[in-house]
Amino acid sequence: QLQLVESGGGLVQPGGSLRLSCAASGITLDAYAVGWFRQAPGKEREGVSCISRNFGFTNYADSVKGRFTISRDNAKNTVYLQMNSLKLEDTAHYYCAADRTTCSQLLAEPEFFFNSWGQGTQVTVSS
């Protein structure tokens, strides 16, 4: 059974960095598109980044391009989100999701393709 566990969040000052991890069990992640999503209080969940299955093509929301990097370690069956130059507006609860679909579809309709949301990890950017 698919299970994803997010970790790595925390409190960081503006301009700081964090690396989030999405560890999988029950599936082999390189056969899945894996997306990172975030939800801030009072806002809808938004797609942040995605790495495609097999070839590992990456997608980023405009708001994080140039600052966030998604990667996958097949040996550890884990997808990472390296977040640099963090801004106050990056504060949110971050979740990962995985499906055999494409990144564009997973980012556009995550609830359609994935229903095993984990606890997520909180990222708070504050001075």
Side-chain angles (χ1 to χ4, degrees):
Q1 182 174 346
L2 166 64
Q3 184 178 15
L4 301 178
V5 178
E6 303 93 342
S7 63
L11 173 64
V12 64
Q13 292 185 338
S17 298
L18 285 173
R19 188 179 78 160
L20 306 184
S21 299
C22 172
S25 59
I27 62 169
T28 302
L29 269 185
D30 66 355
Y32 287 70
V34 180
W36 279 100
F37 301 83
R38 66 187 181 186
Q39 188 167 21
K43 295 187 177 181
E44 292 186 354
R45 184 177 291 165
E46 65 168 333
V48 174
S49 181
C50 184
I51 186 165
S52 71
R53 57 181 178 164
N54 299 328
F55 295 109
F57 298 124
T58 58
N59 301 64
Y60 298 94
D62 287 343
S63 59
V64 306
K65 278 181 182 176
R67 301 188 297 122
F68 291 10
T69 303
I70 191 170
S71 62
R72 184 174 59 215
D73 185 331
N74 292 336
K76 296 183 178 180
N77 211 28
T78 299
V79 167
Y80 300 100
L81 185 68
Q82 177 68 43
M83 306 187 297
N84 298 329
S85 302
L86 283 162
K87 302 177 179 180
L88 297 175
E89 53 265 40
D90 294 319
T91 295
H93 213 74
Y94 285 70
Y95 304 86
C96 59
D99 191 84
R100 291 182 178 270
T101 186
T102 64
C103 271
S104 59
Q105 290 181 314
L106 182 61
L107 290 174
E109 296 182 285
E111 284 80 10
F112 180 82
F113 292 100
F114 185 75
N115 58 11
S116 300
W117 298 97
Q119 296 295 315
T121 187
Q122 177 67 33
V123 172
T124 302
V125 185
S126 176
S127 55

